[in-house]
Amino acid sequence: MVKICCIGAGYVGGPTMAVIALKCPAIEVVVVDISVARIAAWNSDQLPIYEPGLDDVVKQCRGRNLFFSTDIEKHVREADIIFVSVNTPTKTRGLGAGKAADLTYWESAARMIADVAKSDKIVVEKSTVPVKTAEAIEKILTHNSKGIRYQILSNPEFLAEGTAIQDLFSPDRVLIGGRETPEGRKAVQALKQVYANWVPEDRILTTNLWSAELSKLAANAFLAQRISSVNAISALCEATGANVAEVAFAVGKDSRIGPKFLNASVGFGGSCFQKDILNLVYICECNGLPEVANYWKQVIKINDYQKSRFVNRVVSSMFNTVAGKKIAVLGFAFKKDTGDTRETPAIDVCKGLLGDKAKISIYDPQVTEDQIQRDLAMNKFDWDHPVHLQPMSPTAVKAVSVTWDAYEATKGAHGVCILTEWEEFRKLDFAKIYESMQKPAFIFDGRNVVDPEELREIGFIVYSIGKPLDSWLKDMPAVV
């Protein structure tokens, strides 16, 4: 029986291994993690992450050929294939601070594998890692090999949160990069056979190590670039009276461009886009390509600009001050159908409003109060370290309250900011919300989920990103 061990029970390791276990009943899959609480959650009825369809997959396999354990060394020793999906945060100090990936967790995983291995292993990179990480990991393993042979493969994940299980069931492509040597090709073949249990042969791509590593960074950079492109156009639409939804629809009808990732919004979030682009920028700079680095930097600059533009809109519309005013924030996750708040635009928007002394009331159907308070108290990049190494959430954020109901959040508020496109926000009774709010009542739709005309008829002053401006807003400067 082939044994697979995955180090890291997070958003990537958990779902990926659960699906491998489901689709390959002949393989034993063990997910290991140093966090006792996280493993306990994976073994309970309340999984540590929310992902549609994940519960069913885990319940079908857990205890059969899918196991979650904190006994890392035992399972690494027994495994034939070891997936490593540990955190790769952005460095906050030292060489490459603010851009380069911090490979501390990766390196300690590699050293631990070298310490405990008693037989040949295939080690698979599953985290997003900078190009040439495999080479560094290979060096650590071979210099500590004690006669054991290792093959390093890169098998980046291309999951989208909210559809991760579907993405795993029928991926656009599975990418496996390995060394172009007989042993390397054999290792690639071994991993290919695992995926071939359910993925059609023509969707399993094999490349060299560096191509596989770079493809992941490039794919995320291209996706983020599309979002920043449409967001840049949204600012121009507001200035000229065009409608970004109509522009994006017309542009997306071109088959060469296609309609996906053309929704203007308050900005992109998620654990990968910003981190991967910063990484790409750093790699370009290290390789003497400053022009290329600057090109990709702009994608993040536009994203930051979009978030600060949104905050400026809120403040300038409300007589240039939100001090002491209650602002309801609907949605805190970085997109719908996930509880993930990593790099969510809501953090920057809330911090911007708090900086102007607003009182914020937040409602999100999937994010806990503890997570929200923690996110608002954390420094940049802290989220990407294991929970026990993150700063404890202080109770200092008194100006923020979290409710479990949209109507409660909006009661008595001067303004409402919609920051996540949860389906339930489309169905809210806005007439009821209007009645309970202070007047004039403002709605700032950062995801274009509501119909501005319908809300204006109720009496709201509405700002929708990239849509023609309410006459109220035309007199207010967008950029302070």
Side-chain angles (χ1 to χ4, degrees), residues 186-354:
K186 198 172 149 195
V188 167
Q189 204 49 43
L191 185 55
K192 193 172 174 180
Q193 276 170 344
V194 172
Y195 284 110
N197 279 291
W198 79 96
V199 181
E201 182 98 9
D202 61 344
R203 292 200 177 182
I204 304 176
L205 316 181
T206 57
T207 65
N208 70 31
L209 268 174
W210 317 140
S211 298
E213 289 189 327
L214 186 55
S215 297
K216 167 68 177 167
L217 295 182
N220 276 345
F222 277 49
L223 289 170
Q225 180 193 42
R226 280 178 75 105
I227 297 172
S228 280
S229 295
V230 78
N231 282 344
I233 296 297
S234 77
L236 182 60
C237 287
E238 288 169 30
T240 57
N243 181 332
V244 75
E246 293 171 350
V247 174
F249 184 73
V251 168
K253 277 292 181 199
D254 186 324
S255 60
R256 295 165 303 176
I257 297 171
K260 292 185 175 170
F261 270 70
L262 289 180
N263 294 322
S265 69
V266 64
F268 60 74
S271 61
C272 288
F273 283 1
Q274 175 161 305
K275 179 169 86 173
D276 286 2
I277 293 173
L278 289 170
N279 219 317
L280 195 58
V281 166
Y282 183 65
I283 293 163
C284 291
E285 288 172 350
C286 290
N287 283 286
L289 302 169
E291 290 81 2
V292 182
N294 289 334
Y295 175 77
W296 288 111
K297 264 186 206 163
Q298 287 302 320
V299 173
I300 291 177
K301 280 190 179 159
I302 285 285
N303 197 49
D304 290 340
Y305 163 74
Q306 189 77 342
K307 290 182 283 193
S308 61
R309 205 168 71 78
F310 186 85
V311 173
N312 290 345
R313 261 300 172 213
V314 174
V315 178
S316 67
S317 311
M318 297 169 79
F319 314 105
N320 228 15
T321 176
V322 289
K325 292 177 184 171
K326 178 178 176 181
I327 309 277
V329 168
L330 299 184
F332 198 81
F334 81 91
K335 67 173 182 182
K336 69 174 184 178
D337 293 339
T338 176
D340 193 351
T341 59
R342 295 178 293 178
E343 293 289 351
T344 173
I347 294 174
D348 286 335
V349 171
C350 288
K351 283 183 173 175
L353 294 171
L354 289 169

Side-chain angles (χ1 to χ4, degrees), residues 387-445:
V387 173
H388 66 284
L389 296 177
Q390 291 173 9
M392 285 310 290
S393 138
T395 45
V397 195
K398 282 281 182 284
V400 175
S401 63
V402 178
T403 67
W404 277 104
D405 169 55
Y407 299 105
E408 187 57 39
T410 52
K411 192 185 289 176
H414 287 259
V416 176
C417 297
I418 302 175
L419 300 183
T420 313
E421 70 283 18
W422 287 102
E423 285 304 319
E424 66 181 75
F425 296 159
R426 298 176 197 275
K427 304 186 184 85
L428 290 171
D429 179 347
F430 282 101
K432 177 180 167 184
I433 287 174
Y434 182 75
E435 287 308 311
S436 75
M437 285 176 65
Q438 304 277 348
K439 310 294 182 294
F442 296 87
I443 285 200
F444 303 93
D445 185 356

Side-chain angles (χ1 to χ4, degrees), residues 3-17:
K3 290 192 173 182
I4 290 179
C5 175
C6 174
I7 303 172
Y11 278 92
V12 176
T16 307
M17 294 304 121

Side-chain angles (χ1 to χ4, degrees), residues 68-132:
F68 296 94
S69 169
T70 50
D71 191 346
I72 301 176
E73 297 188 359
K74 170 182 185 279
H75 295 292
V76 165
R77 192 177 303 116
E78 292 173 0
D80 305 296
I81 302 175
I82 300 166
F83 285 84
V84 184
S85 70
V86 296
N87 303 61
T88 49
T90 304
K91 285 182 76 170
T92 48
R93 54 174 70 89
L95 186 63
K99 291 194 284 271
D102 178 349
L103 297 181
T104 311
Y105 305 119
W106 237 110
E107 186 175 328
S108 59
R111 290 184 185 279
M112 184 268 301
I113 293 169
D115 280 347
V116 305
K118 299 273 188 284
S119 57
D120 294 355
K121 308 282 182 205
I122 296 173
V123 179
V124 185
E125 290 183 338
K126 201 70 186 152
S127 325
T128 307
V129 283
V131 182
K132 301 275 170 116

